[in-house]
Amino acid sequence: MTATPVIGRDPRRQYWVQTARPELEGRLGSTFSLANGRLGLRGGHEEMPEWGRPEFYLSGSYTGGPASLLGVHDPDHILTHPDRTTPEALARLTPGAIATLPNLPNPAAVRLAVGGVPFSFGASKILSCERVLEIAEARLRRRLVFRDGQGRRTRVDSERFVSFAERHLVALRYAVTPLGHDGAVSVHAYIKRDVTSPNGVRLLTEVRSRTEDGLDAVECITDESRLTLSVAQVAVQRVEAGCTTVEIFAAAGAVALDDAVALARAAAARGYDTCRAEHIAAYRRETDAAAADFDDNPATVQGFAFSQMHLHMAFGYDDNRVGVPIKGLTGHGYRFVNFWDMDFHMFPYFLLTKPRQARHLLEYRFNQLPAYRENARRWGARGAQVPWETSTRGVEETAPWLCLPDREIHISADAARMFWLYDELTPDRDAMLAMGAQFIMETARFYASRITWGEGHRRCELRNIGCPDQYHTFAHNNLFTSLMARWNLEQAAATASRPDYAAARERAGVTDAEVREWQDMAARLFIPAPGRDGIIEQCNGFFDLDPDLDGISELFCRHSQAVKQADVIAAFGPFEEVYPAEVRRRNWHFYNDRTLHGSSLSLPGMAYGAARCGLNDEALYQLHKSARMDLDDVNLDTERGVHVSAGAVQWYTVVFGFGGLTARREGVHLRPNLPRQWRWLRFTVHWQF
């Protein structure tokens, strides 16, 4: 094989880094990850150095594990509940109570020897090491040049992809070229079995294996969920013109060992070039259907393209058992669970780029409705309460010592709104009839049970809740939460009154008295209003907090007006028509001065809010910072996985903000609002299929 020179950089289509420093491998393992919605392979080195953290994940393969899987918060952290001490909370957890994806045996492993001497990063002098992510093709290339102890220089060119054409397939080409020496080259492909989760816990047990000439395969069972998972690797080797090449075809899935072997062999029979061409064609079909491109500086365009790639790679496509994990399949952060990011931030993006497949996310939420009812009962409420964090089980997966599970209650309306949006923007009426109407009614019932009557003010209130900004966790009447709850109540009352939803109303057991209660509560629910200066108080008492943010951190912010992300600006998204542009501009400036951007959603959220009210320079600045979030490791946490949902909000900034798109049932409207620095913008959306 003749190695393809790694030249001709195009930041609109590529991202590259030249380093082999071990201390950077956590971050680079995330940024060079590849996935296809079913399989996720971190971007580590094929030679599996001891510091390389090889990670390989299968979507939906959750299993329970020990409490050590949870990150323990400092008792002074803003999210730690003062009455839930960490030792007691840990003691209450039973084995298997915490779900995550197990780290699977890694099929992208290679042992290399030159002149009989095994290669290792520590024993050899690394002369160059460059990884190039082909963003436009979801493909990773690496060129490594090293000098061994005998002074011999050797070049290794590798390429890998996680196939969009065959969701079970990972393929790798590994080519070794001696540079001016005749030392014998030996390349051996294998499956690395001795892997654990990043905290050292192994969550599966090997039960079968097959090792033959050119074949390595292993079958495992997850320890708690008892799922059968198999990984099979077929390796094909050849030597041409002094270059030794090994092509690896690996199949993985919730299948028996022999089935995985058959899939890997079938891919090998088609050949690497064919499999790669099929993958690229399938991936381009996805990206063409969701294309968004604009004229900006290369660093912004590169970061935006990177974020859009990860949205494609995180989506489950044909699997309604899973949602979209907050980190996709790129890292262990938050144990691959689903947050409100999926419902509120990511779903509108998928709805307008993959509308038919977006229905799977509705099915995911609706199928877990019984678990959501139980979750509401757990906290003394009625109806259906969507957990703050959950997996395929539908139960609350949040650490028990945190404030979030019982106080961050806006997520139920966030999930209900998905069904309404889908019904609004697609011709598929069945989704609302079969799922959405009932879901909206049962989440409204939850809010009705949490709303209280404030006798002193003669109004309905949502008290003792957590603000979505997560720095004010014991609050009353948060703007975002109250607006979402009111919408849910109004929508449920209207839905229950329609004859075509009578069957859904019957399934939910909704009475006439309950409908009247929802209407009354929605009409009386207190919503913070703009003051004389146009500024809206995020929650009761916010204006009385200390405006001085010097020295503020997540351990020292309860007393201050600091916010992790601005709830008021987030509320302007779904409820923009309620507030004039001037009110939105004034609030943007007020809360921008108080936002610490501790959340990856904050920067793109502020960009979107600015673009929708005409603050284009501010929007472009925040968009750039958000687009570079992972590539520049802005929040110093990229090693835990890519911030997938931020890419969706970046897309809103470009398409809804600068493109001026408004989509409703009756039609699509455009009012372009390009920044003065841009010459053009193009994007594709799908409306009514």
Side-chain angles (χ1 to χ4, degrees), residues 119 157 210 215 250 259 287 316 344 416 529 545 576 608 666:
F119 166 79
D157 289 287
R210 285 176 60 180
L215 171 69
D259 294 331
T287 57
F344 186 80
L545 299 175
E576 177 182 289
Y608 171 56
E666 63 273 12

Side-chain angles (χ1 to χ4, degrees), residues 436-452:
Q438 182 180 351
F439 196 96
I440 289 170
M441 293 179 210
E442 297 208 39
T443 50
R445 180 177 287 150
F446 162 70
Y447 287 111
S449 71
R450 289 290 268 108
I451 288 172
T452 58

